[in-house]
Amino acid sequence: MTPSKTLDGNSHDSGPLFFRDRDWHPAAYTPGYKTSMTRAPHRALVALSSTLSEQTGPAFGHDMIGERDNNLIVNFTGQPAIGERIIMHGRVLDENGRGIPDVLVEIWQANAGGRYRHKKDGYLAPLDPNFGGCGRTISGPDGSYEFLTVRPGAYPWPNHVNNWRPMHIHVSVFGTGFGQRLITQMYFEGDPLIAKCPIVNTIGQQKAIEALVAPLDMNRAIPMDCLAYRFDIVLRGRRQSFFENRKEGM
Amino acid sequence: MQRLDYLKESPSQTAGPYVHIGLTPNKLGNDGIYPVDLGESPVSDGAKGRPITIIGTVRDGAGMILRDALIESWQADADGIFPGHDPRGKADPNVSGWARIIADFDSGEWMLKTIMPGRVPFHDGRPMAPHVSLWVVARGINLGLQTRIYFEGEDNESCPVLQRIEHRDRVRTLIAKRTGDGEYRFDIVLQGENETVFFDL
């Protein structure tokens, strides 16, 4: 297997997807997270190798992104949001370690006090009039992306009596195939609530949990301006060999 | 022994109850950030093919309709070509193929207006029956669920994917019922009796 080079420059856009390691992902039925109990399928998934329906996926142009779409500090009203200013940055990669260019990354989060701008959120912490809580960007040629935002606060949620979500940013990412579609959450280095969270602990393996914890990145922080956290996102890889995935073979 | 140096896929987490903030802010009422929500329609005016409308709900294992589900759909054009990266050629320019659909905040009903997709080849070249791929996320769903909408009245018997479903009585959970001319109903059941078939694809 030679994952580093492709002959036509884009055959990696349509090759079969690596199989998902479903012991690494959270299981569907995770009673510690109560809502999963009635929303988890009981029957086994029907497993098949990916087809063209999963190997292809929507494409997004850089032209659809507004200038302030990845700046959550000012993209709601133009006035700055209150909170700890941070850069969230990283790369979108596949399991072969290649950056994936031109893919859409979307994020959403609570404000610095842990309050979401959503009609269903009744937490007593106030809304920030200048914070909407969503951002989007398209990855660069090496798969890199960045957002400017405020660090979200922890917040309570009705699961067990006294459950609090760690500080987190929701991340939605596309690859080049619909079967790579992924939503996850980014947590922050050193947060003591991470280990106590039933949603974090839907993931069984400690190493997998650590893959969602972003380290503080002082090299990317801007002095007298903002701190930075680095969060790489890895999507399913694609198989490629000379014996499959040749354009003329389709 | 040498080491296999593949990376591991980022583990999934639930989209949570507030997914609309990030993915459909205008439909939530948080307008002013993006001009329009993405994925409003998988087709634009002039798309070739038979117009169809699919309406449905998502139910949990207690029979309750989810009001916080988000579904994305992906499909080929009328000739069975996917927009974007299809190695077989260029798709109908009026088909983007992708839509983002949310359940109604009050009724929980969702709707997809599109065109009937053409047939797409399976690995061995046999055609798969016309289908729309779905990816379902919500609070309580830890990893997005993959399923497909097939259509009553099409040649579903010969579809190599449907043939792989061992429990034959479950195939019907993937076939949208015709309710009128170009109108279909597709209810997704997450758990229990009539549980929808979900795929690991």
Side-chain angles (χ1 to χ4, degrees):
Chain A
M1 177 135 183
T2 51
S4 56
K5 267 251 187 311
T6 57
L7 290 177
D8 58 14
N10 66 3
S11 68
H12 66 275
D13 281 337
S14 58
L17 297 169
F18 287 4
F19 306 107
R20 257 193 172 132
D21 179 352
R22 289 176 182 267
D23 296 323
W24 176 259
H25 284 286
Y29 184 79
T30 49
Y33 175 26
K34 290 181 179 177
T35 312
S36 75
M37 294 175 74
T38 50
R39 295 186 176 194
H42 282 172
R43 307 292 291 264
L45 302 179
V46 173
L48 281 169
S49 290
S50 63
T51 72
L52 271 175
S53 302
E54 293 75 39
Q55 290 156 212
T56 58
F60 300 97
H62 289 260
D63 55 349
M64 67 168 227
I65 298 292
E67 214 171 287
R68 296 197 305 208
D69 283 3
N70 70 339
N71 183 343
L72 285 74
I73 291 182
V74 299
N75 74 6
F76 192 49
T77 62
Q79 296 300 307
I82 288 169
E84 184 182 331
R85 295 164 58 84
I86 61 165
I87 290 171
M88 167 188 176
H89 78 103
R91 291 176 71 204
V92 182
L93 305 157
D94 69 14
E95 290 170 292
N96 289 308
R98 281 186 308 234
I100 311 181
D102 305 324
V103 293
L104 178 66
V105 183
E106 297 163 286
I107 65 170
W108 70 99
Q109 62 170 96
N111 69 23
R115 175 75 183 270
Y116 281 96
R117 187 171 288 279
H118 192 290
K119 53 189 170 192
K120 295 273 176 67
D121 187 3
Y123 183 34
L124 50 79
L127 288 170
D128 176 341
N130 296 316
F131 189 71
C134 72
R136 64 185 183 187
T137 191
I138 302 251
S139 63
D142 61 348
S144 60
Y145 74 89
E146 70 173 352
F147 292 97
L148 183 62
T149 186
V150 296
R151 186 149 83 150
Y155 65 86
W157 59 299
N159 189 58
H160 301 296
V161 179
N162 195 23
N163 277 143
W164 291 72
R165 295 302 324 279
M167 302 176 283
H168 66 276
I169 296 177
H170 296 265
V171 181
S172 165
V173 62
F174 289 78
T176 49
F178 194 57
Q180 292 171 302
R181 194 73 181 84
L182 184 74
I183 280 182
T184 188
Q185 301 182 27
M186 180 192 105
Y187 303 100
F188 291 84
E189 177 185 355
D191 186 344
L193 288 170
I194 294 171
K196 297 181 185 299
C197 177
I199 289 178
V200 172
N201 289 323
T202 59
I203 301 172
Q205 300 183 39
Q206 189 55 34
K207 268 193 161 169
I209 291 174
E210 282 165 21
L212 298 183
V213 181
L216 179 68
D217 180 3
M218 291 304 289
N219 288 335
R220 194 62 178 266
I222 303 173
M224 309 306 286
D225 182 340
C226 63
L227 282 170
Y229 288 84
R230 183 184 165 99
F231 188 64
D232 286 341
I233 302 157
V234 182
L235 302 179
R236 294 170 72 181
R238 286 174 182 274
R239 293 209 303 274
Q240 44 184 320
S241 77
F242 291 116
F243 304 108
E244 59 184 8
N245 192 34
R246 280 191 294 183
K247 278 186 166 175
E248 62 270 31
M250 290 305 302
Chain B
M1 193 167 71
Q2 297 186 359
R3 280 177 48 183
L4 275 170
D5 58 354
Y6 296 113
L7 302 177
K8 292 295 284 186
E9 188 184 8
S10 296
S12 174
Q13 292 271 265
T14 179
Y18 307 131
V19 60
H20 319 93
I21 294 175
L23 304 190
T24 59
N26 292 292
K27 288 190 186 74
L28 176 64
N30 291 356
D31 45 324
I33 303 174
Y34 308 144
V36 290
D37 289 334
L38 290 178
E40 291 272 276
S41 176
V43 292
S44 51
D45 292 346
K48 284 184 292 180
R50 183 157 70 87
I52 56 173
T53 301
I54 307 149
I55 290 176
T57 55
V58 184
R59 277 175 206 273
D60 72 8
M64 192 188 80
I65 294 173
L66 273 63
R67 287 163 176 79
D68 52 13
L70 182 138
I71 300 169
E72 290 183 5
S73 70
W74 175 243
Q75 66 170 90
D77 70 8
D79 296 323
I81 303 289
F82 286 102
H85 306 284
D86 194 318
R88 297 167 301 156
K90 286 252 177 285
D92 181 343
N94 292 315
V95 174
S96 75
W98 175 73
R100 186 172 267 171
I101 313 150
I102 60 169
D104 183 86
F105 289 112
D106 298 317
S107 70
E109 203 154 75
W110 57 265
M111 182 171 70
L112 172 63
K113 284 171 102 78
T114 182
I115 49 113
M116 181 65 77
R119 308 214 287 177
V120 174
F122 191 58
H123 315 121
D124 56 9
R126 283 183 294 161
M128 296 187 278
H131 65 275
V132 174
S133 297
L134 298 184
W135 179 74
V136 184
V137 296
R139 174 171 68 102
I141 297 176
N142 291 324
L143 172 61
L145 295 167
Q146 294 165 274
T147 188
R148 288 183 173 190
I149 307 175
Y150 288 84
F151 300 92
E152 184 179 354
E154 301 292 324
D155 177 16
N156 295 312
E157 292 296 309
S158 66
C159 180
V161 169
L162 292 178
Q163 284 175 357
R164 291 285 287 271
I165 298 170
E166 186 187 352
H167 299 101
R168 299 309 297 163
D169 61 319
R170 301 193 67 208
V171 171
R172 66 189 159 78
T173 70
L174 298 182
I175 299 177
K177 284 203 173 61
R178 261 196 73 176
T179 54
D181 189 21
E183 291 172 3
Y184 295 88
R185 173 127 204 135
F186 188 75
D187 289 310
I188 298 167
V189 179
L190 297 178
Q191 184 189 84
E193 206 179 330
N194 299 317
E195 184 174 305
T196 302
V197 169
F198 297 103
F199 291 101
D200 184 8
L201 273 162

